[in-house]
Amino acid sequence: MFAAIVEHANKPFSPEAISDMLEEGTASDFHYEWQDCDRESHGSHCTADLWREFKELAPDVRCQIQRVTMKEGGFAARAYIDFEGSQTQPFLPIFPVNTRVRGVICSELEFDGHGQVRKESMHLCFEAPFEAHPIVIDFLAQSATQLALREGGSRMLQRAMEVAGHEECVTLCRQFRGHVWEASASPHANHVLQKCVVNLPPRKVLFIAEEFKGRAVLAARHSIRSRMLERFIEYFPGEVLDDLVGELIPEASHLCCNTFGNFVLQRLLEHGTDTQRRALVEVLSADAASLAKHSIASNVLSSAFIYCPVRDQRFLAEALCADAAVVRSLRRHYIASFVMRQAKRVITTPGRQGALLEISL
């Protein structure tokens, strides 16, 4: 029956034939979606309308099943479908208009107990040789900034980058030059930018970080842009981030209390240069006792005791243990007590070590 559904893509649209085919071959709760294009329909009537629109705007598209693999249990399958043709309007926004393209679509199928299709989920397949559809790839690169803003387009671009050659990835990434700040706030496009940072050499994508200059603190407080800062710190050489880090450190006492900024600082303590870590620890030490009691900031102090060189850990521990009364208060605090246990392991000043020991007895 699935083969009959595919075959209908090669025939002129017939409302009666499509309705009969869908009624016979699909379940009553049939759900169809094309992930890349954010297209979906529920039920046979909506799906028939989608077919009609498809045939009107892409009348010369031809499809052929390449292979079908049944999954364990027999109620699901994966089909690979060769396609070739063009569209007169952007019904499928991942393809150019009035340009003949070819490629492979992957269709994930689920069946009910009667063998009828209950769900079909499609996406453009990049498992085939990348050279097989250069027009599609070129179009994706040219349209990357717009496609990345949609959930389906973002996922498709990420899949493409996983199998594309180095030069194709660089070409795609360069499309975001001048658009990084906007894309970095998108819940979808930011994943494409992160993929660029993770997959490509820093020298090829350093422009992404450069577009954050002067706005690093704002980005660190942002629920989505903060992820980009984390990737920069993880994958770029620390020295090339001195300007961005220089913006963050003076605001560290505030950022480490922020829901998102604290993760940026933790990444800096884990991956930053020794100089960057030292500068950050000095700022944190100035208000260490207060930060140790904070439910979020205390995690940043804990990271300092995990990742920083011993001399910086001791510097922070000395700041926490500068006053015996403060030490007593921190040791009894339900949050700060965990930080103080870490401080106790590295403190070396006899008097302050004794104060910690006295309180712990």
Side-chain angles (χ1 to χ4, degrees):
M1 178 51 65
F2 173 68
I5 295 175
V6 173
E7 183 59 29
H8 269 280
N10 301 326
K11 299 177 180 179
F13 178 74
S14 167
E16 296 78 12
I18 287 292
S19 296
D20 291 344
M21 180 268 296
L22 290 174
E23 185 174 345
E24 180 182 351
T26 62
S28 58
D29 60 346
F30 175 64
H31 176 215
Y32 168 84
E33 65 176 357
W34 189 324
Q35 299 171 358
D36 303 330
C37 304
D38 296 325
R39 289 270 188 175
E40 64 177 328
S41 63
H42 298 269
S44 58
H45 292 297
C46 290
T47 304
D49 290 340
L50 197 65
W51 269 90
R52 175 189 54 76
E53 187 179 3
F54 168 71
K55 291 304 296 182
E56 288 177 353
L57 302 180
D60 67 337
V61 169
R62 296 294 179 265
C63 302
Q64 182 176 355
I65 297 176
Q66 186 185 97
R67 70 180 187 274
V68 178
T69 304
M70 296 300 297
K71 297 185 179 180
E72 187 176 354
F75 290 99
R78 174 178 295 169
Y80 294 90
I81 306 167
D82 292 321
F83 73 91
E84 184 172 0
S86 62
Q87 58 182 350
T88 58
Q89 294 184 38
F91 174 76
L92 301 175
I94 62 174
F95 300 125
V97 174
N98 295 324
T99 302
R100 196 166 189 82
V101 298
R102 61 189 178 91
V104 179
I105 296 169
C106 179
S107 176
E108 301 282 352
L109 300 156
E110 294 181 13
F111 303 94
D112 64 13
H114 302 287
Q116 293 182 313
V117 181
R118 188 171 64 85
K119 181 179 180 180
E120 181 179 12
S121 179
M122 302 175 69
H123 62 262
L124 189 61
C125 178
F126 293 105
E127 296 174 18
F130 213 59
E131 296 76 17
H133 29 74
I135 294 176
V136 175
I137 303 308
D138 290 344
F139 179 74
L140 293 184
Q142 295 168 17
S143 310
T145 55
Q146 293 302 313
L147 290 173
L149 296 174
R150 298 187 297 101
E151 181 179 4
S154 172
R155 290 178 177 176
M156 179 181 57
L157 291 173
Q158 292 175 68
R159 291 201 312 274
M161 292 187 68
E162 289 175 358
V163 298
H166 176 78
E167 290 305 318
E168 287 87 354
C169 284
V170 171
T171 299
L172 190 153
C173 183
R174 284 175 179 166
Q175 307 306 311
F176 290 93
R177 190 182 294 273
H179 304 281
V180 168
W181 186 249
E182 175 191 4
S184 65
S186 164
H188 309 306
N190 88 91
H191 292 292
V192 179
L193 291 177
Q194 290 186 60
K195 199 79 170 179
C196 293
V197 171
V198 172
N199 284 19
L200 293 171
R203 68 181 184 280
K204 297 290 187 179
V205 291
L206 195 56
F207 73 89
I208 298 178
E210 290 174 349
E211 293 194 30
F212 275 67
K213 286 184 179 179
R215 299 182 281 197
V217 174
L218 185 62
R221 293 192 179 112
H222 194 275
S223 60
I224 300 176
R225 288 189 173 114
S226 58
R227 304 173 195 171
M228 293 303 306
L229 289 176
E230 291 186 60
R231 299 297 89 75
F232 297 158
I233 294 169
E234 289 172 354
Y235 288 92
F236 288 174
E239 296 77 10
V240 305
L241 297 177
D242 279 340
D243 289 343
L244 288 180
V245 173
E247 296 177 34
L248 297 172
I249 288 178
E251 299 295 324
S253 293
H254 300 294
L255 288 176
C256 68
C257 298
N258 182 268
T259 304
F260 310 108
N262 84 92
F263 291 111
V264 176
L265 296 185
Q266 289 188 61
R267 295 294 82 73
L268 184 58
L269 290 167
E270 182 178 1
H271 300 281
T273 65
D274 286 348
T275 301
Q276 292 167 352
R277 290 170 174 167
R278 177 68 179 189
L280 178 52
V281 166
E282 288 178 354
V283 172
L284 298 177
S285 296
D287 197 23
S290 175
L291 297 176
K293 296 179 180 180
H294 194 279
S295 60
I296 296 176
S298 59
N299 294 312
V300 179
L301 297 188
S302 292
S303 291
F305 283 119
I306 294 172
Y307 299 116
C308 285
V310 174
R311 61 183 177 83
D312 294 336
Q313 294 184 40
R314 288 173 178 166
F315 185 87
L316 179 58
E318 291 278 348
L320 287 166
C321 302
D323 183 276
V326 172
V327 171
R328 185 174 290 105
S329 172
L330 294 177
R331 287 286 294 172
R332 293 173 178 173
H333 193 272
Y334 72 103
I335 293 175
S337 60
F338 294 98
V339 177
M340 296 306 287
R341 291 174 193 170
Q342 293 174 293
K344 181 182 177 181
R345 288 198 292 266
V346 298
I347 197 76
T348 57
T349 304
R352 291 170 186 171
Q353 190 178 47
L356 277 172
L357 180 60
E358 177 185 346
I359 295 167
S360 65
L361 293 176

